[in-house]
Amino acid sequence: MSIVSPFRLALEPEAFQLLGGCTEILRRLSDMRDFFADEQAVERVLTSDDPVIYEFWKGECESSGGGVSYGLTRIHPGTVGREYHMTKGHFHTKDGDEIYVVVEGRGLLLLQTREGEGRTVEMTPGHMVYVPTGWAHRTVNTGDAALIFLSIWPPGVGHDYGTVARYGFPQLVVQGADGPMVVRSPSFQGGLMG
Ligand code: PAN
Ligand code: ZN
């Protein structure tokens, strides 16, 4: 039986960076070719730059109680074409619920089932969002500043990015004349995924 000591951690990228045992993952635009809708816009940006779209830091506490996985994500503000910066998004490969807690910034959480049912939830500081088992989730930064959020999920839950790369989400979040707009993705086919 492993014994885990209690600890406290600031919800800031710098604190997670300094934490021993935390893994840092950096997603640049070139890593996200299959995820943004406007392929021409992606290639246009990549001719001169390969910006970091988001970073996340994740750790795991192992204990006899089953443990817990946790991560802090920072999505930088901006758009690719008209689509706002976002995470790749994934299904969990095993059953496992997740909680997101918004620390700063503003955005939208896109959710979908394997049957293609979509939901959109606002992300604002001081709020949590529950992601039930079976719902793929992608976070979009619709603000002018970084969107930072904490996520907590059960250890051993794998991340399936391939299904999202192949099918996309039903919703696209794009910059409109009066701010962010959620529109139906023209390439989304629906049907059973995976
Ligand atoms: C989050 C995500 C994190 C990065 O910790 O992994 O926000 O998004 P992608 O994994 O889609 O690149 C989570 O949902 N963990 O399960
Ligand atoms: Zn997840």
Side-chain angles (χ1 to χ4, degrees):
M1 180 177 85
S2 60
I3 300 170
V4 177
S5 301
F7 67 93
R8 157 190 145 108
L9 184 64
L11 298 180
E12 296 164 356
E14 296 70 24
F16 278 68
Q17 278 159 359
L18 292 173
L19 188 71
C22 237
T23 308
E24 179 179 66
I25 295 154
L26 201 89
R27 303 269 203 231
R28 293 185 177 275
L29 183 57
S30 58
D31 302 316
M32 297 191 64
R33 279 195 160 98
D34 297 335
F35 294 85
F36 283 107
D38 185 344
E39 290 167 23
Q40 288 177 352
V42 171
E43 297 310 322
R44 226 174 14 247
V45 176
L46 287 175
T47 56
S48 59
D49 195 13
D50 189 8
V52 174
I53 307 296
Y54 64 101
E55 301 128 313
F56 65 106
W57 299 270
K58 60 180 180 181
E60 191 177 308
C61 304
E62 290 174 39
S63 85
S64 57
V68 67
S69 294
Y70 58 92
L72 193 77
T73 305
R74 172 170 63 190
I75 309 176
H76 296 279
T79 55
V80 176
R82 290 173 61 214
E83 196 174 9
Y84 287 96
H85 285 182
M86 61 189 187
T87 59
K88 287 184 174 184
H90 57 264
F91 282 97
H92 291 166
T93 53
K94 288 191 198 153
D95 283 357
D97 300 2
E98 187 156 4
I99 294 285
Y100 278 17
V101 178
V102 187
V103 178
E104 59 182 68
R106 90 176 15 252
L108 294 171
L109 185 67
L110 310 183
L111 299 132
Q112 69 167 329
T113 63
R114 288 193 185 271
E115 290 75 33
E117 180 188 348
R119 295 275 175 85
T120 305
V121 179
E122 252 193 270
M123 292 183 73
T124 46
H127 287 78
M128 63 165 256
V129 182
Y130 169 55
V131 180
T133 288
W135 291 79
H137 36 291
R138 162 181 286 169
T139 316
V140 184
N141 182 352
T142 55
D144 303 329
L147 171 63
I148 299 179
F149 59 93
L150 174 75
S151 39
I152 302 166
W153 67 97
V157 164
H159 294 79
D160 164 21
Y161 296 101
T163 304
V164 169
R166 181 159 165 217
Y167 293 90
F169 272 74
Q171 321 92 316
L172 287 187
V173 188
V174 297
Q175 201 168 35
D178 300 319
M181 291 190 318
V182 181
V183 298
R184 180 151 180 100
S185 169
S187 59
F188 187 75
Q189 304 288 323
L192 192 64
M193 277 171 268

